[in-house]
């Protein structure tokens, strides 16, 4: 059993600007081990930027990021914030699985090769072990028969399930999902959400930027609403969807998002 008091991810006063535009305006957020946190908000509210800061695809200008009780060390160089310790950054990235809306599979590799690349070369694990585990993961997400196919030969839903399996192959402590169904045709969304629901039932720690309101309501342990670069409201799905969370969240729900 996981320790319910142990934070898997903690963000404190996270700020990020692109030029003169401040995207994140002091965001603080916490996810405990086993939490499924759905992050909602309109386009431009800072959701994806916040997620990308957690694994340092974007470097915050200020604030603090903790993953598994380890704080990512930052330093200032020539007026810019950068990771202070390359080895720490590599180690922490290996503990964070990221699933993008555009899949980001390597097109020149088969699906199986996509899964074993990082475990073999970045984590230095034995190839035979990586292949065996990759095949089990592909079976888990329902595309074992596609192991020797290239990404271009798979549907969008199959590619996204392969991307989830690839993230799982790194043995991550935390899974980050950046709008994982937004690039899919409507009939393919369900197959990806079913895999994500199964991961949640396993007790995986997941931070999910999504527009799938039914997933946020039914699967999440916490819902966070971002508005103009700030956390405007957060709470349990029941409280957020029943009480409305905030005026901005009620307007967001009534603006056509619906419960898909």
């Amino acid at each position: 059993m996981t320790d319910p008091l142990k934070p898997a991810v903690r963000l404190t006063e996270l700020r990020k600007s692109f030029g003169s535009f401040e995207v994140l305006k002091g965001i603080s957020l916490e996810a405990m081990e086993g939490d499924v946190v759905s992050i909602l908000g309109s386009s431009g509210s800072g959701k994806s930027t916040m997620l990308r800061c957690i694994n340092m695809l974007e470097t915050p200008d200020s604030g603090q990021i903790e993953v598994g009780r380890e704080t990512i060390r930052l330093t200032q160089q020539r007026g810019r914030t950068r990771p202070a310790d390359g080895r720490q950054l590599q180690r922490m990235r290996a503990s964070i699985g990221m699933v993008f809306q555009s899949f980001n599979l390597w097109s020149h590799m088969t699906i199986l090769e996509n899964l074993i690349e990082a475990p073999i070369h970045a984590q230095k694990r034995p190839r035979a072990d990586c292949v065996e585990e990759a095949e089990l993961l592909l079976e888990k997400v329902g595309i074992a028969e596609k192991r020797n196919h290239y990404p271009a030969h798979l549907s969008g839903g199959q590619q996204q399930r392969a991307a989830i399996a690839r993230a799982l192959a790194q043995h991550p402590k935390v899974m980050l999902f950046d709008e994982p169904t937004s690039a899919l045709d409507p009939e393919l969304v369900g197959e990806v959400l079913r895999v994500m629901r199964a991961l949640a039932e396993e007790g995986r720690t997941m931070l999910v930027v999504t527009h799938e309101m039914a997933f946020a309501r039914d699967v999440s342990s916490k819902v966070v609403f971002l508005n103009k670069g700030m956390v405007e409201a957060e709470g349990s799905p029941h409280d957020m969807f029943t009480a409305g969370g905030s005026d901005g969240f009620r307007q967001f729900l009534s603006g056509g998002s619906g419960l898909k």
Side-chain angles (χ1 to χ4, degrees), residues 8-72:
V9 177
R10 180 184 285 144
L11 310 181
T12 306
E13 287 294 316
L14 213 60
R15 294 182 178 273
K16 175 66 179 179
S17 295
F18 295 102
S20 60
F21 180 58
E22 189 176 23
V23 180
L24 304 181
K25 304 175 182 178
I27 283 182
S28 296
L29 182 151
E30 190 171 78
M32 297 299 181
E33 282 193 348
D35 273 355
V36 178
V37 180
S38 286
I39 302 157
L40 311 180
S42 302
S43 178
S45 60
K47 308 182 302 297
S48 293
T49 299
M50 183 193 75
L51 216 62
R52 290 170 65 86
C53 282
I54 295 174
N55 66 353
M56 289 288 149
L57 290 175
E58 300 288 354
T59 306
D61 299 324
S62 63
Q64 186 169 285
I65 300 169
E66 297 174 63
V67 179
R69 288 184 177 169
E70 184 174 4
T71 301
I72 300 176

Side-chain angles (χ1 to χ4, degrees), residues 146-257:
K146 302 294 184 181
R147 59 170 65 82
N148 295 319
H149 291 231
Y150 288 90
H153 300 149
L154 274 63
S155 70
Q158 290 169 336
Q159 288 188 61
Q160 193 61 292
R161 285 186 280 160
I164 293 171
R166 183 178 65 174
L168 290 170
Q170 297 185 70
H171 297 174
K173 297 176 183 175
V174 177
M175 292 281 287
L176 308 179
F177 294 84
D178 188 6
E179 300 194 24
T181 61
S182 64
L184 300 178
D185 292 333
E187 65 271 17
L188 302 177
V189 169
E191 64 189 53
V192 173
L193 291 179
R194 280 192 293 275
V195 171
M196 293 173 64
R197 284 172 182 259
L199 294 178
E201 289 169 2
E202 290 177 4
R204 295 266 180 185
T205 305
M206 301 161 59
L207 276 69
V208 185
V209 171
T210 184
H211 291 291
E212 299 294 334
M213 295 300 118
F215 178 90
R217 180 194 59 195
D218 299 337
V219 181
S220 305
S221 48
K222 180 192 287 186
V223 174
V224 175
F225 174 62
L226 265 58
N227 190 19
K228 298 179 180 178
M230 296 180 287
V231 175
E232 182 175 301
E234 63 180 299
S236 70
H238 178 270
D239 289 345
M240 290 288 286
F241 285 101
T242 302
S246 69
D247 289 343
F249 186 60
R250 284 190 290 274
Q251 291 172 10
F252 170 72
L253 290 179
S254 66
S257 298

